[in-house]
Amino acid sequence: MTELFTEIDRSRAAVRAGVSARRAAVTLFAVVAALGLANVFDQRTTDRAAAGPGASMTLSAPESVRGGLFSQSRLEIHARADPLVLLPERRNH
């Protein structure tokens, strides 16, 4: 395995090309990270609303989420009428 590294070109031009390639790669990663922090890749939330005779609902969430990321969603429900009673109170007489 060490024979592969015995014939490395160590000229000044080869070293300069290697350094330039490493700098370009690190710069590319830094630019992608900076664009992600600036929210350029569109993870903005959108609002959706629905309403009925007794209640209204608003959902605020991203339209799409990339894999492996956490996202925050907000669901608000506002009742307009009295709450629905499923089981009436029993009175002991």
Side-chain angles (χ1 to χ4, degrees):
M1 186 69 163
T2 57
E3 299 89 32
L4 295 175
F5 299 104
T6 57
E7 298 180 19
I8 295 177
D9 185 13
R10 295 183 189 260
S11 67
R12 185 174 206 123
V15 170
R16 183 173 288 168
V19 170
S20 297
R22 284 191 298 270
R23 285 182 182 164
V26 170
T27 302
L28 177 66
F29 287 130
V31 167
V32 169
L35 290 175
L37 287 173
N39 203 19
V40 172
F41 301 118
D42 201 26
Q43 283 292 118
R44 295 177 187 97
T45 59
T46 57
D47 294 334
R48 303 280 182 183
S56 64
M57 177 181 75
T58 305
L59 173 66
S60 177
E63 286 189 19
S64 62
V65 178
R66 294 185 302 271
L69 295 180
F70 292 108
S71 66
Q72 179 178 345
S73 299
R74 183 180 182 135
L75 178 64
E76 294 180 17
I77 300 174
H78 298 281
R80 293 188 191 131
D82 291 331
L84 178 64
V85 178
L86 298 178
L87 295 173
E89 289 184 29
R90 292 187 182 184
R91 295 185 181 161
N92 294 330
H93 291 278

